[in-house]
Amino acid sequence: MSQSLTDWLQHSRFVVVGVDPARGHLRIKGEAEVCTDLSCSERTLVVTDDGTGPGLAALNPGDIVRIEETSGRPERIDVVRWVSEELTSPEW
């Protein structure tokens, strides 16, 4: 049975719970409400509306992200929605 688009979106997006740019650590929470700790390298790219750059400093707790992994480490983190946009969304 194939996954619907809605199901795929729910399973591929994560909420940033915590970020430590100095150590390269990122804690995320998925649809199952389980937290996962990730260790990012200096090559991990963070993609935002403002551009692409290395480092986790652009991320904030509450941001919604999508993560591409290679060899078990985040290679690319796409910001799907900023926490500031989430709080001002008409969905609230």
Side-chain angles (χ1 to χ4, degrees):
M1 183 171 161
S2 66
Q3 208 174 28
S4 73
L5 177 60
T6 303
D7 290 339
W8 178 81
L9 286 173
Q10 288 177 340
H11 292 294
S12 67
R13 292 182 177 187
F14 302 92
V15 175
V16 175
V17 175
V19 60
D20 184 350
R23 293 185 174 177
H25 292 167
L26 180 66
R27 177 172 278 187
I28 57 172
K29 178 174 66 172
E31 178 195 21
E33 299 292 321
V34 175
C35 289
T36 302
D37 292 320
L38 302 175
S39 181
C40 302
S41 72
E42 62 278 350
R43 295 181 307 212
T44 301
L45 292 178
V46 177
V47 180
T48 69
D49 291 339
D50 299 329
T52 302
L56 302 175
L59 299 175
N60 296 295
D63 290 345
I64 299 172
V65 298
R66 187 175 63 229
I67 298 175
E68 294 178 21
E69 291 183 336
T70 303
S71 302
R73 294 191 89 167
E75 184 76 24
R76 175 182 169 132
I77 301 170
D78 292 308
V79 178
V80 176
R81 184 182 280 185
W82 299 105
V83 66
S84 58
E85 291 175 358
E86 185 73 17
L87 297 175
T88 60
S89 168
E91 298 166 3
W92 286 93

